[in-house]
Amino acid sequence: MNEAPSVLASNSAYEALKPDARGWFESLRDRVCAAFEAIEENLPRDAPLADGPAGRFERTAWTRPTEAGAEFPLGAEAGGGGGIMSVLRGRVFEKVGVNVSTVWGTFSPDFRAQIPGAAEDPRFWASGISLVAHMQSPLVPAVHFNTRMLVTTKGWFGGGGDLTPMRLDTPEAIEDAADFHARLRLACDRHGPGYYATFKAWCDRYFYLPHRQEPRGAGGIFFDHHTTGDAAADFAFTREVGEAFLDIYPRIVRRRMTQAWTQAERDHQLVRRGRYVEFNLIHDRGTLFGLKTGGNVEAILMSLPPEVRWP
Amino acid sequence: MNEAPSVLASNSAYEALKPDARGWFESLRDRVCAAFEAIEENLPRDAPLADGPAGRFERTAWTRPTEAGAEFPLGAEAGGGGGIMSVLRGRVFEKVGVNVSTVWGTFSPDFRAQIPGAAEDPRFWASGISLVAHMQSPLVPAVHFNTRMLVTTKGWFGGGGDLTPMRLDTPEAIEDAADFHARLRLACDRHGPGYYATFKAWCDRYFYLPHRQEPRGAGGIFFDHHTTGDAAADFAFTREVGEAFLDIYPRIVRRRMTQAWTQAERDHQLVRRGRYVEFNLIHDRGTLFGLKTGGNVEAILMSLPPEVRWP
């Protein structure tokens, strides 16, 4: 992979954090993948689909075009970097994609006004991890998690995680959502007294389908442009959110994955996944940003469910 | 259904056409539905899925909210009207939706600059027919067709049709696309020597997925803001396009529907349908316009395929 230029000396705290941030996103990826593979391997023999083979992650590297004249459709004019897609198709995880990427470039004029610090200098650097899991069982919630660091003439962290049970009103879904939120709250509370309330409300606003007038799921936390003036502390918070995700989601999967489901529950799951698609393709800023900045299409659309119905 | 006010006396040619346009869209709907039901009924006994029952259209009327304070999320502030969704789920047509609607209202400020004639007076009236068919057989092309009339302080027609074979390079797909284009060309040539070339090119530009760098299908024609100064002639052209669709598409379906397909062809069809979803939710102006102007969500998203895979 080609080397990112160190462009922004005015921004030394974030410049200095780049290698650690990238390294941490990648090591979290390794630990998440290991945790999910362990779940695949440990599925009890009497659980649904246990006669299938345990899924393993397959990795595919991609490189962002750097040559002159390469197409960056709307958002970015030039740049480089790339990423690695890790995808597992298994007996518990129907499809889970974990992407890490580190990219840099120059925002095109119509993007500059929208990105903090880009009006002054259009160059950017971005690194992050992004994960979406769609589960075989309609009784196991789907999940999304990501954290990222952005550097322009400014620097900031962003990310979050949210849980999508197929039904919101069953005792199990209520318990899963409560535990997911409680664990994220714990992570937030260690770093700022208002963080959880602020970032939970942000998540509720963000993961909302206005055309359906319904939330995408049971929520979680969402934060962006997060910069307190202490880059190291903000990075520590971002790591804490990752640790919280890695702690709670596998526990939720393990306690639900052995339960049998009905065809009606599966059919309902496939319809609910349609809402997930609608959100990601109509509303999700991350998806649209990625598609417009010459991101890797397969990596970005890895978030789409393996099987969906609009009956 | 409540009555549309006659608002735009400055626009008398289009004002006068409103009842006929609406009536024609609705009668075309009746004839299309009858043609598709006849296909369902006439499926030969030895054709795939012929042991299932012939599909019949089911109609659902919907009314656009008119009360003060009703939510028109982005595009429209008030209005009325409604439509009728006709949906058939059958043994040839896996899911086909034919919507007719006639709606009116007032564009919200952010929409006024984008719509011809709306800057002067934000009131609008729109009537049309829209159809998307997703077929059981991967050897039968999917199709989209619509025609509409819009009235602001200006008036115009729009519409078109495009064919989506699952593979573009088989002899059958090439023949289907050629016949579809030839029939539309015939309709165009009766009304303007440059119509076909212009509207075919417009279709190719419009039904294109930039993030995939691929066309949605085999194309067809697309026209919008079509007004030559002779509203009656433009309406006649619009009707001719409808007649062409009604003539050619059933013929294409009938000659392909009896052929057996493989599981690999079906799997490929489900993946190709994902492209259709990506186009409609990320790019299609009609879909996004409808969702933002308080259109009926079920009617708008009726275009989405019944079963889709992103493997």
Side-chain angles (χ1 to χ4, degrees), chain B residues 234-255:
Chain B
D234 298 342
F235 181 33
F237 167 62
T238 301
R239 293 198 306 273
E240 186 96 38
V241 172
E243 300 297 338
F245 169 77
L246 180 56
D247 179 37
I248 185 62
Y249 186 64
R251 283 199 275 142
I252 290 173
V253 174
R254 285 177 185 273
R255 73 189 182 195

Side-chain angles (χ1 to χ4, degrees), chain A:
Chain A
M1 201 174 287
N2 46 2
E3 279 299 304
S6 176
V7 292
L8 302 158
S10 65
N11 206 356
S12 58
Y14 289 96
E15 283 295 322
L17 275 179
K18 282 176 174 180
D20 283 356
R22 176 185 185 152
W24 185 79
F25 296 132
E26 292 176 0
S27 84
L28 180 65
R29 183 267 321 270
D30 293 339
R31 295 162 64 210
V32 165
C33 290
F36 289 180
E37 287 186 343
I39 288 172
E40 284 283 326
E41 280 157 19
N42 303 155
L43 183 65
R45 281 168 188 250
D46 56 350
L49 306 181
D51 50 343
R56 304 282 298 175
F57 276 97
E58 292 178 18
R59 291 192 177 180
T60 310
W62 54 273
T63 304
R64 193 147 167 276
T66 49
E67 66 275 25
E71 289 209 27
F72 298 99
L74 282 169
E77 288 177 332
I84 295 173
M85 261 188 305
S86 303
V87 182
L88 180 154
R89 296 175 180 88
R91 54 191 188 176
V92 179
F93 295 85
E94 189 172 334
K95 175 177 153 193
V96 51
V98 189
N99 295 310
V100 292
S101 67
T102 301
V103 300
W104 51 87
T106 305
F107 284 119
S108 62
D110 56 327
F111 258 64
R112 289 171 198 176
Q114 303 170 38
I115 309 285
E120 295 84 350
D121 182 328
R123 288 172 292 178
F124 71 94
W125 181 95
S127 185
I129 176 174
S130 175
L131 174 165
V132 172
H134 296 286
M135 311 305 289
Q136 293 279 7
S137 168
L139 307 177
V140 180
V143 80
H144 159 253
F145 162 79
N146 86 90
T147 48
R148 59 190 173 275
M149 183 170 104
L150 265 287
V151 185
T152 61
T153 63
K154 301 186 189 303
W156 65 89
F157 289 90
D162 70 293
L163 197 71
T164 306
M166 298 304 118
R167 294 187 186 279
L168 296 176
D169 56 355
T170 64
E172 292 81 4
I174 291 166
E175 183 186 27
D176 290 344
D179 290 351
F180 189 77
H181 275 276
R183 186 62 188 83
L184 289 171
R185 172 170 210 141
L186 187 65
C188 288
D189 286 351
R190 287 175 182 156
H191 291 267
Y195 279 15
Y196 174 72
T198 302
F199 299 151
K200 175 195 183 300
W202 199 342
C203 186
D204 287 342
R205 281 196 308 277
Y206 185 85
F207 291 107
Y208 182 77
L209 286 80
H211 64 284
R212 298 281 190 184
Q213 301 187 345
E214 58 186 48
R216 182 168 87 169
I221 64 168
F222 182 97
F223 60 103
D224 202 2
H225 306 131
H226 182 64
T227 173
T228 61
D230 182 344
D234 298 343
F235 181 33
F237 166 63
T238 301
R239 294 198 305 274
E240 186 96 38
V241 171
E243 300 297 336
F245 169 78
L246 181 57
D247 179 36
I248 185 63
Y249 185 64
R251 282 198 275 141
I252 290 173
V253 174
R254 285 178 185 274
R255 73 189 183 194
R256 302 294 173 218
M257 68 186 184
T258 55
Q259 203 177 328
W261 61 86
T262 66
Q263 186 60 44
E265 286 167 331
R266 173 70 179 174
D267 290 343
H268 176 260
Q269 177 191 40
L270 298 183
V271 172
R272 292 304 308 170
R273 284 178 175 175
R275 303 292 205 270
Y276 210 91
V277 174
E278 291 173 25
F279 180 83
N280 281 21
L281 298 186
I282 300 175
H283 300 294
D284 187 54
R285 286 191 307 133
T287 300
L288 301 175
F289 177 86
L291 293 177
K292 289 180 178 180
T293 51
N296 183 276
V297 175
E298 293 298 334
I300 295 164
L301 297 184
M302 189 50 64
S303 65
L304 298 179
E307 188 181 347
V308 188
R309 293 214 181 125
W310 282 274

Side-chain angles (χ1 to χ4, degrees), chain B residues 118-133:
Chain B
E120 296 83 351
D121 182 328
R123 288 173 291 177
F124 70 94
W125 181 95
S127 185
I129 176 173
S130 176
L131 174 164
V132 173

